[in-house]
Amino acid sequence: MSQAISSEAAGLSDWLAAAGFAADRIEPLQGDVSLRRYARIAGLAPGDTATAILATYPPDIRSTCGRFLRTSGLLEEAGVPVPRVLASSCGEGWMLVEDLGLETLAEWGRGRPWEEVGPWFERALDLADRISRIPVASLEGLNPTLDSELLSKELAQTWDLFLEPNGLTGDAPALRDALDAICANLGAETPVACHRDFMVRNLMFAGGDLVVLDHQDLRLGPPLYDLASLLNDTIFPPPTVEAGLLAGLGSAEDRVRYHRAAAQRTLKAVGTYTSFARRGADRHLPLVPPTLAQCLQHLARVPESAAVARDLTAVWGRVWSQVRSGGIC
């Protein structure tokens, strides 16, 4: 056992041994901006996987550990592949999960022709559908519903951290009214189970299939929210492909519902990227221009915001160059 493990948390080596695992090396991994930390554990006991991922939950977020275990069970019951939990002690804030490697669908698919990427999106759509069918009652007390209030709160972060500081609100009262109406209409839909961050950066390959990561925020939300997340993050399907993927929605009103969810999700994501950057993690800033462009397209297809979108085209247009040059963050 390396000294690094001993310094990571007192008693970790004893916990691993009690759980039937031995380890002789720990490799810290780059994580997100949350307090949760990750490391690759190497040298596990013979007969099991050669490596595993250690997730460490500090006291402030220790409840997340229990939620991950609970949502793992719910998703497995729904036929959704998730990382296998090898051992856990939520009281200590430790969890050992199977090592799926480093390459997400986002990283694998970047730059590849759609003919190669498309089938995996089709599989992801099937997984999103399975998630949406998880019984509502089983999510009780798990996470707050993604209702109109929470949807609006998410957009408030984007407004405060990105739009207003960079002079991108345009006709501010009209934009506020449009966004409030979008969130109100999304919140009025009968909620279903949502992953909450169902995107290509949270999908990995294992055993010839996709495995869903970061599912501890599973909750009730708008029925098309996960679909909107998948099609509007990192890898953006061409418009004709997006139209084909949406063909199953049926009515024109269903497509409007999708564009509402996508408009909220993309604008929320811009605020998230900005928040990350202000905390020192700026690797997502290159996603701001394409995500904001996606948002504008969706706003233009929603009755509540079509007029606002026309006005915002010129206002937001300068973002494409200024983000790349570091003028906006």
Side-chain angles (χ1 to χ4, degrees), residues 151-185:
L151 292 165
S152 294
K153 183 178 180 181
E154 291 179 340
L155 297 191
Q157 174 176 258
T158 305
W159 189 285
D160 293 341
L161 297 185
F162 183 80
L163 295 179
E164 194 167 56
N166 293 300
L168 299 174
T169 58
D171 183 346
L175 179 57
R176 281 192 184 278
D177 287 346
L179 297 179
D180 286 345
I182 286 173
C183 293
N185 284 323

Side-chain angles (χ1 to χ4, degrees), residues 189-213:
E189 297 184 25
T190 302
V192 301
C194 295
H195 177 283
R196 210 294 177 73
D197 281 318
F198 193 76
M199 55 191 180
V200 290
R201 287 179 285 135
N202 278 334
L203 297 171
M204 294 191 76
F205 298 103
D209 200 0
L210 291 179
V211 175
V212 178
L213 310 179

Side-chain angles (χ1 to χ4, degrees), residues 260-278:
R260 280 194 190 107
Q264 192 281 341
R265 173 68 188 189
T266 49
L267 194 55
K268 177 260 184 187
V270 169
T272 300
Y273 302 150
T274 306
S275 176
F276 286 174
R278 292 192 174 200

Side-chain angles (χ1 to χ4, degrees), residues 46-65:
D48 210 302
T49 180
T51 62
I53 300 300
L54 173 70
T56 301
Y57 298 83
D60 289 350
I61 60 166
R62 198 148 289 173
S63 62
T64 307
C65 177

Side-chain angles (χ1 to χ4, degrees), residues 94-283:
W94 297 321
M95 184 182 296
L96 204 63
V97 299
E98 66 175 317
D99 186 357
L100 300 177
L102 297 174
E103 194 172 53
T104 65
L105 178 56
E107 292 150 342
W108 176 86
R110 188 175 294 117
R112 291 179 182 268
W114 188 258
E115 289 74 16
E116 295 181 31
V117 179
W120 294 110
F121 267 70
E122 294 283 357
R123 174 55 175 159
L125 290 176
D126 174 64
L127 295 179
D129 181 65
R130 290 172 182 264
I131 292 173
S132 72
R133 297 177 187 276
I134 293 175
V136 169
S138 65
L139 301 183
E140 186 174 352
L142 183 59
N143 285 301
T145 297
L146 197 58
D147 57 12
S148 59
E149 182 179 356
L150 184 50
L151 292 165
S152 294
K153 183 178 180 181
E154 291 179 340
L155 297 191
Q157 174 176 258
T158 305
W159 189 285
D160 293 341
L161 297 185
F162 183 80
L163 295 179
E164 194 167 56
N166 293 300
L168 299 174
T169 58
D171 183 346
L175 179 57
R176 281 192 184 278
D177 287 346
L179 297 179
D180 286 345
I182 286 173
C183 293
N185 284 323
L186 287 171
E189 297 184 25
T190 302
V192 301
C194 295
H195 177 283
R196 210 294 177 73
D197 281 318
F198 193 76
M199 55 191 180
V200 290
R201 287 179 285 135
N202 278 334
L203 297 171
M204 294 191 76
F205 298 103
D209 200 0
L210 291 179
V211 175
V212 178
L213 310 179
D214 272 352
H215 48 71
Q216 64 278 343
D217 286 337
L218 183 73
R219 67 188 64 209
L220 295 178
L224 300 179
Y225 188 86
D226 278 354
L227 174 63
S229 300
L230 176 67
L231 301 187
N232 293 275
D233 187 285
T234 309
I235 297 176
F236 305 97
T240 54
V241 172
E242 181 188 41
L245 293 171
L246 298 177
L249 292 182
S251 71
E253 176 55 31
D254 287 338
R255 286 189 286 278
V256 170
R257 291 171 52 226
Y258 162 75
H259 290 301
R260 280 194 190 107
Q264 192 281 341
R265 173 68 188 189
T266 49
L267 194 55
K268 177 260 184 187
V270 169
T272 300
Y273 302 150
T274 306
S275 176
F276 286 174
R278 292 192 174 200
R279 285 181 275 171
D282 60 1
R283 66 183 183 274

Side-chain angles (χ1 to χ4, degrees), residues 7-18:
S7 62
E8 176 69 21
L12 176 57
S13 59
D14 291 339
W15 173 73
L16 286 169

